[in-house]
């Protein structure tokens, strides 16, 4: 199954040069990835008004992701009715029977317009989870949509089998939403209202379960704190040199949550696993593309320097630094079928795509280095929408698994590389220390021993005899013994000299005595 458009009918493959759900009206280079701006949510809107038509409705409970209202504790309250223990100005909408209703503020109206501008079509349930996860249900989001409908900015395109209404922008709303989005965030294509031959509005089509899963994935991740609605882009193209463009279902930027960028593929367990492997392969090929005017020779040399190589790659010009080793992470979000089928799919993907995600061992494994070089690997994580909705912490919980590992972790833990550069630095230092100890032991084994006292030579004494190119007397003696040897030799020389001098004096004295005796006899 090729990557689907976030909100439109699926196409047979990824070669989709036209508009996508998150695509722009204008032609945008496929390999450009806009950087969404971050806008913090405003405080909960609490302005009461009495002129807004709010027919009593229950919160959405369709199966798009999970019921809008969580399971209530022992004493339950109706979905649209505030708890007695809460003040009347809380963020939940009161029911029709209440004396107050709530007018969606300008901030909420802009939020909905911007979200529909990015995702093109969404239910109130999805918009609530994406924009206002702090609200207990989607009632005020539906009220905001109804207010925008009365203003002619949005309309209901269709009612899904789950009972949810699918909302889209009108032409007027599309024009109003476009200037609200940052310039680097593309607005989706306008969904025009079509009429039949008799002038009656036609029921829209083309909204499949994959498109719903894509929007719901963005909703649950945003609700868990991974960015804002403006952090998302749909159907971003990654053009390869041989003419193929790999589209990502979603691109997420959540630097405040420790994920500067991530590419997401939503899979409903309907396409062959080989197709998923090819997606990983194509992403790996795209990550290796050189940036314009990059020097290929310098790029090849930088491959041995870890992260330095990425400065020469195209992806580093379009996506922010990952703050970890490796390329921009890719996430596969599985949904549908049975848990056993999804688990089997993950294992098969892990086995078949291992060459792209496993990394390479650092040199020196025989020296106790087990660290892995992930600098040119694609970090691939997997999760399931069903697992996310079942976890109390949602997408912020331990619902992610890094392919190549067995345990389920949080997203930041799964993307981290504890066996990467940090481990390599520790193991390299340990290996260096062990090597130094081995060399020192081998050196000590070769250290000479004094033949007189039996002590080992000092470093200076050993170095002095190693510097000499010939052997001399005393080379087998340590420094102190050599000093004593020199003193003994000198003493012996002095004794011999004194003995020779004494003998000379005795001979001279004898000669003088002999001369005096001969002279006396002649006289």
């Amino acid at each position: 199954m090729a990557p689907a458009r976030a909100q439109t009918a699926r196409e047979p493959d990824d070669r989709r040069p036209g508009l996508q759900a998150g695509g722009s009206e204008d032609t945008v280079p496929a390999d450009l990835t806009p950087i969404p701006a971050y806008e913090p949510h405003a405080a909960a809107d609490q302005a009461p008004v009495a002129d807004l038509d709010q027919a009593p409705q229950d919160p959405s409970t369709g199966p798009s992701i999970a019921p809008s209202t969580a399971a209530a504790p022992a004493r339950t309250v109706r979905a649209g009715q505030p708890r007695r223990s809460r003040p009347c100005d809380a963020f939940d909408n009161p029911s029709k029977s209440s004396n107050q209703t709530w007018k969606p503020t300008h901030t909420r109206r802009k939020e909905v317009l911007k979200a529909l501008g990015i995702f093109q079509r969404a239910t109130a349930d999805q918009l609530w989870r994406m924009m206002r996860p702090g609200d207990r249900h989607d009632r005020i989001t539906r009220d905001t949509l109804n207010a925008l409908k009365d203003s002619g900015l949005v309309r209901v395109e269709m009612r899904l089998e789950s009972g949810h209404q699918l909302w889209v922008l009108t032409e007027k709303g599309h024009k109003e939403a476009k200037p609200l989005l940052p310039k680097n965030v593309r607005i989706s294509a306008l969904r025009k209202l079509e009429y039949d031959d008799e002038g009656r509005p036609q029921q829209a089509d083309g909204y499949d379960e994959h498109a719903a899963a894509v929007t719901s994935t963005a909703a649950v991740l945003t609700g868990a704190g991974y960015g804002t609605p403006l952090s998302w882009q749909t159907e971003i193209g990654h053009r390869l040199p041989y003419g193929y463009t790999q589209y990502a279902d979603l691109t997420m930027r959540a630097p405040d949550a420790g994920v500067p960028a991530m590419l997401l593929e939503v899979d409903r367990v309907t396409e062959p696993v080989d197709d998923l492997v090819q997606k990983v392969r194509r992403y790996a090929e795209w990550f290796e593309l050189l940036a314009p005017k990059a020097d290929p020779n310098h790029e090849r040399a930088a491959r041995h320097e870890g992260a330095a190589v990425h400065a020469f790659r195209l992806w580093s010009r379009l996506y922010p630094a990952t703050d970890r080793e490796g390329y921009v992470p890719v996430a596969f979000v599985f949904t549908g079928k049975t848990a056993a089928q999804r688990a089997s799919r993950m294992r098969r993907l892990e086995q078949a795509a291992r060459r792209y995600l496993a990394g390479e061992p650092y040199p020196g494994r025989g020296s106790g280095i087990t660290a892995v070089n992930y600098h040119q690997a694609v970090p691939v994580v997997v999760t399931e929408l069903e697992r996310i909705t079942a976890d109390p912490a949602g997408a912020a919980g331990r619902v992610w698994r890094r392919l190549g590992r067995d345990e389920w972790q949080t997203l930041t833990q799964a993307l981290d590389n504890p066996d990467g550069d940090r481990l390599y630095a520790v193991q390299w230092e340990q290996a260096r220390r062990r090597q130094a100890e081995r060399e020192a032991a081998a050196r000590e084994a070769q250290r000479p021993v004094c033949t007189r006292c039996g002590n080992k030579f000092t470093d200076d004494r050993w170095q002095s005899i190693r510097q000499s190119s010939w052997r001399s007397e005393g080379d087998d003696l340590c420094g102190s013994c050599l000093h004593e040897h020199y003193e003994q030799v000198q003493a012996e020389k002095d004794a011999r000299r004194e003995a020779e001098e004494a003998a000379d004096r005795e001979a001279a004295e004898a000669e003088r005595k002999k001369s005096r005796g001969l002279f006396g006899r002649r006289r």
Side-chain angles (χ1 to χ4, degrees), residues 226 254-261 322-324 411-412 415:
Y226 292 105
D256 292 342
V259 188
T322 64
D323 296 335
R324 300 176 178 89
L411 181 55
T412 51
L415 295 179

Side-chain angles (χ1 to χ4, degrees), residues 264-344:
L264 291 97
E265 296 288 340
V266 179
D267 179 72
R268 297 187 57 253
V269 197
T270 55
E271 59 182 315
V273 174
D274 288 344
D275 290 355
L276 305 184
V277 176
Q278 292 307 310
K279 290 182 182 181
V280 177
R281 176 185 63 80
R282 288 191 287 265
Y283 280 128
E285 291 177 347
W286 187 81
F287 288 136
E288 293 175 359
L289 293 180
L290 289 179
K293 299 182 180 180
D295 189 326
N297 295 326
H298 290 170
E299 186 267 349
R300 283 192 293 271
R303 293 181 188 181
H304 304 288
E305 302 176 15
V309 68
H310 299 315
F312 299 91
R313 301 283 175 81
L314 173 64
W315 75 264
S316 65
R317 313 293 172 88
L318 306 177
Y319 289 104
T322 64
D323 296 335
R324 300 176 178 89
E325 305 99 304
Y327 301 130
V328 177
V330 177
F332 284 90
V333 181
F334 296 96
T335 183
K337 299 297 178 66
T338 66
Q341 287 174 306
R342 296 192 298 269
S344 172

Side-chain angles (χ1 to χ4, degrees), residues 74 112 158 205 262 450:
V112 171
M158 62 185 298
D205 57 7
M262 187 167 70
C450 179

Side-chain angles (χ1 to χ4, degrees), residues 444 446-459 461-462 465 474-482 484:
E444 284 300 314
Q446 298 176 357
R447 185 182 294 272
V449 178
C450 179
T451 57
R452 176 179 291 184
C453 67
N455 292 331
K456 291 185 176 181
F457 281 23
T458 63
D459 290 342
R461 173 59 180 148
W462 191 9
I465 65 173
D475 283 353
D476 56 349
L477 301 177
C478 65
S480 58
C481 291
L482 181 64
E484 293 176 359

Side-chain angles (χ1 to χ4, degrees), residues 486-521:
Y486 284 152
E487 288 182 344
Q488 181 180 358
V489 170
Q490 186 64 37
E492 292 175 354
K493 287 182 179 179
D494 292 343
R496 286 196 299 270
R497 187 177 64 254
E498 291 176 359
E500 291 174 356
E501 290 176 352
D504 291 341
R505 286 196 299 272
E506 291 177 357
E509 185 64 25
E511 184 65 28
R512 285 196 297 273
K513 288 180 179 180
K514 181 180 179 181
S515 298
R516 287 197 299 270
L518 294 174
F519 180 76
R521 285 195 297 269

